[in-house]
Structures are given as structure tokens and as C-alpha cells.
Amino acid sequence: IFPSLLFAQEFIPNYDESKVPDYQLPDPLAFENGEKVNSLADWEKKRVETLRYFETEVYGISPAWDGEMKTEIISEKQNAVGGKAIRKEVKLSLIRQGKQVDIYVLIYLPKSSSRSPVFLGLNFYGNHTLSEHQAIRVTDAWIRNNETYGSSDNRASEKGRGKRRENWAVEEAINRGYGIATLYYGELDPDFDDGFENGVHALYQEERNENSWGAVAAWAWGLSRVMDYLETLREVDGEKVAVLGHSRLGKAALWAGAIDTRFAMVISNNSGCGGAALSRRRYGETVGRINRVFPHWFAGKFDHYNENEDALPVDQHQLIALMAPRPVYIASGVDDRWADPKGEFLSGLYSNPVYQLFGKTGMPVNEQPDVDQPVMGDIGYHVRSGGHGMLPYDMHQYFNFADKHWKVHP
Ligand code: GTR
């Protein structure tokens, strides 16, 4: 039996609010020496310090991109989504020091505008799960087995075609004037513990240490490469690209938004531990549990905080604070206790001092809202009825949030 399986069996999550330990969060506006951040100039320094800690202690340090990107449109349709959208699938080849990684981005852009805001996010089961159309490629990358989405022997298949269409709400996006761009996350880094030898990690041959980038960071890094590409498209409004993701890919979306301020909006759907949820609450999934079951997700150094969360120099409210003053949306599912909905809400709330420094409000309410009652300030939040998943309800709120901040009305 694998040791990780043993731990998995022994782990009993805490779902009792009264058993959440007393904890003290790091002050997002205090330097390490205790001095206070009083100005935006101070914050710029504190931001660097905060980001550095998330790099070295949590996600690992991602390399700067110094390679070459080649692009090739592999399919294109002018009358997609009932004639209302242009659909393209584009191969991006990331080339560095004789190595190459190919990723495939599926893009829908509304015809109602010549320059559209776009929601960019990684998908779990391949681009072909977003649409019935045969032209969309079935990924040949390693994939998790899932009967419903048609993958077996770690390969995707035709059986998954169109199976995730609703989750991405492409039609609503197009009707409301938004584009969607997505790619299969396993093309960036296959989601298993491979010693960091494949995916984009392979483009960098540096010696690894306990601060090196893990898989979440690799997925986030890939989102920035797609952003590099989107910025070259005249039909995309590069000032209005929202990065979004669900669950582990929500962790990646948050980390991408923290590092790369070109993302004008950041959306975390049920991201939980290592995402929007506060680590110190130890409610549901914990740092120790996530590191044991997914040893490849984070920096090796993150293990140091297994059952030792109070020693973390940062907590996840400071990850949200790294988005300030940009709009960020945090969404939970009420039955998704594993992801600690309340801890996700509190991260947003406790990032408020940083938003306030910018003259903003941040999270507009002090108490977690009732189920299915979204609130939308600079920070948006909802706890949806139901469990873990990215549902049309969630997407609907994100479009509302973008309408509010970007005033998009096609
Ligand atoms: C779970 C993991 C969560 C979340 C989820 C998912 O197994 O414990 O942190 O990432 O997977 O990605 O669906």
C-alpha cells in the first residue's frame, strides 16, 4: 500500500466549527519587522515580500519565460454557437533549449463585438468536452480516468465529447458579449507525481530544490503563456481578460492572478485548501492532507507546514490581497465542506485592509452571505446550494460580476 493511501485513510477532516482552532492570521499590512504599511508605495514593497513567501513556501518559484512560442490555427469556424460566435482551436508550441511542449487552446469569441473581454480557464477533461463538434481535438495527453467524461487507461476519448458543455456556459457567454478560452490542464503538466520530468517543467532543466515550482504553479504559468497569445489578438480586449478555475484549477487561477497582473479579474470556483481557504482554520482539507495525497502540487517546502499551519509566514487571505485593487470573485458550494466555504469567505474579508488602502471596499459584507445570495463588491462572493462543481449558476454570477466591473452590454 502506498504511504499516501494510508494517510488518506487515516485522515479525518474536521467539519465542526467549534473545533476550528484559535488562530492568528498574519497582518497583510505589516512588514516582517512589525512596521505598518501606510501608503501604496509601502504596499508595493509589502506585495513583493508577500509574493515571495507564496513562491518559496507554498507554490514554488516559476521561471521567467524566455523561450519562443509558435502558433498554428488547427481549426476555425465562422458560424459557431448558432452563428453568433467564431470558434478557433490554436496550437501553441512552447519551445526552449531544444525542447517543445504543445498546448491547444479552444477559443470562442462573440461576433457582436470586434474586441471582446475573455474568460480564460483550464479544463479537466479536454477541449472536446466543451462541444459536440468533431473538429475539436481530443487531447493525447495523460488524463485521469473518468467514465462519465470518457477517459480510460489515462487517455481521453470521443465518449467525452460535449459532456462538459453546460459547465462552461459558452452560449450564455457569447450572448452576453464574452469570449471563452480554455485548454486541457494536463497538456501543461500531467496531474500525477512524475518527478517533474514532463509537461512544462521539462522545458527547464534547472536543479530542483524545495522552493521549485510544483504542478499548480506550472498550470498557472501556462495561463500566462496563453495570455501572451491572447494579447496578440486584435479581437480580444487584453485589458479585460478574467482568469478562472475550479478546484485545483481554481488554485492555479488564483496563483496566476497573483503573479500576473495582466489578468484584470480573477475567479476562484471552489478552490479550497491551497486556494481561497484559510490554511490555519484546518477545516476540511488541510495542508498536511493535501501535501501527502498530492505531493506534486506545491513547493517541497510547503510540507514543512503539515500540521504546522501557524508557522506559515502567509495565509491565503494574503493571496487574495495580491489581486488588489483588481476585482476577484470567490465562490463556494454549501455542501463542499472539504473546501471550507467559510474559510474561503474569510480570506476575502481579511484581504479588505489592502483593498481599503486603494480606496476600495473589497468584500462588501462582514458575514458570510446566505446560500444563493451573491454579493458583488470589488470582491464577489457566493455560496451556492449543492456541492463541488462549476455550474451554470456559478458562471452566471461571474458574467454578472464582469458586467458590473466592465460594463459589458452587447
Ligand atoms: C481534491 C482535492 C481538492 C481539490 C479537488 C479537485 O481531491 O483534495 O483540493 O483540488 O480534488 O481538484 O477537484
Side-chain angles (χ1 to χ4, degrees), residues 83-313:
K84 293 177 286 191
I86 295 170
R87 187 192 75 219
K88 285 183 206 188
E89 201 172 12
V90 187
K91 175 180 168 182
L92 305 182
S93 301
L94 306 171
I95 303 158
R96 186 177 185 273
Q97 294 185 353
K99 296 225 156 69
Q100 177 168 341
V101 171
D102 295 334
I103 59 178
Y104 294 82
V105 187
L106 176 65
I107 304 174
Y108 290 91
L109 292 172
K111 289 196 206 162
S112 54
S113 163
S114 56
R115 204 169 162 77
S116 308
V118 167
F119 284 74
L120 165 64
L122 300 168
N123 65 66
F124 277 92
Y125 292 101
N127 293 344
H128 70 296
T129 61
L130 267 82
S131 166
E132 263 90 46
H133 285 283
Q134 296 297 318
I136 298 165
R137 183 176 174 275
V138 176
T139 183
D140 56 20
W142 183 97
I143 200 161
R144 264 187 311 159
N145 294 333
N146 184 300
E147 226 176 289
T148 316
Y149 305 125
S151 50
S152 56
D153 298 327
N154 301 119
R155 292 290 146 209
S157 81
E158 280 299 331
K159 278 188 249 162
R161 198 174 283 287
K163 292 277 165 63
R164 303 280 291 171
R165 216 184 66 175
E166 297 219 327
N167 303 77
W168 284 85
V170 175
E171 179 141 27
E172 182 177 1
I174 295 301
N175 287 339
R176 298 181 64 166
Y178 294 104
I180 297 276
T182 185
L183 65 156
Y184 169 56
Y185 81 124
E187 289 173 356
L188 286 163
D189 194 20
D191 195 358
F192 64 93
D193 188 12
D194 67 340
F196 304 99
E197 279 175 5
N198 54 21
V200 295
H201 286 116
L203 296 173
Y204 292 86
Q205 297 293 46
E206 94 277 43
E207 294 255 323
R208 289 188 60 87
N209 61 40
E210 64 173 6
N211 309 119
S212 297
W213 54 333
V216 172
W219 302 326
W221 183 93
L223 287 163
S224 288
R225 301 293 70 78
V226 179
M227 183 67 189
D228 296 343
Y229 172 69
L230 293 178
E231 279 193 321
T232 68
L233 301 180
R234 280 186 27 198
E235 55 280 29
V236 169
D237 184 346
E239 310 268 288
K240 292 187 180 135
V241 176
V243 63
L244 108 152
H246 167 60
S247 204
R248 67 196 66 185
L249 303 180
K251 307 179 209 300
L254 287 170
W255 185 227
I259 298 185
D260 191 339
T261 55
R262 291 176 300 172
F263 293 116
M265 185 176 285
V266 183
I267 299 164
S268 149
N269 192 90
N270 311 177
S271 62
C273 181
L278 292 173
S279 299
R280 280 170 174 74
R281 276 173 49 83
R282 286 158 248 181
Y283 185 102
E285 188 173 31
T286 63
V287 171
R289 156 74 199 211
I290 207 168
N291 281 329
R292 290 185 182 101
V293 178
F294 304 104
H296 57 296
W297 280 7
F298 297 93
K301 185 77 189 289
F302 200 32
D303 282 347
H304 185 83
Y305 305 101
N306 295 351
E307 294 78 49
N308 185 27
E309 295 86 347
D310 292 319
L312 271 164

Side-chain angles (χ1 to χ4, degrees), residues 325-379:
R326 294 168 291 159
V328 49
Y329 200 110
I330 302 169
S332 312
V334 69
D335 299 330
D336 186 12
R337 297 183 302 167
W338 183 246
D340 187 12
K342 182 162 182 200
E344 295 187 311
F345 169 77
L346 290 175
S347 267
L349 182 65
Y350 296 144
S351 75
N352 277 0
V354 179
Y355 276 85
Q356 284 158 6
L357 198 65
F358 282 93
K360 307 238 166 202
T361 320
M363 182 73 82
V365 292
N366 293 323
E367 298 284 331
Q368 190 183 12
D370 288 341
V371 172
D372 298 330
Q373 300 294 323
V375 293
M376 297 189 194
D378 311 297
I379 302 180

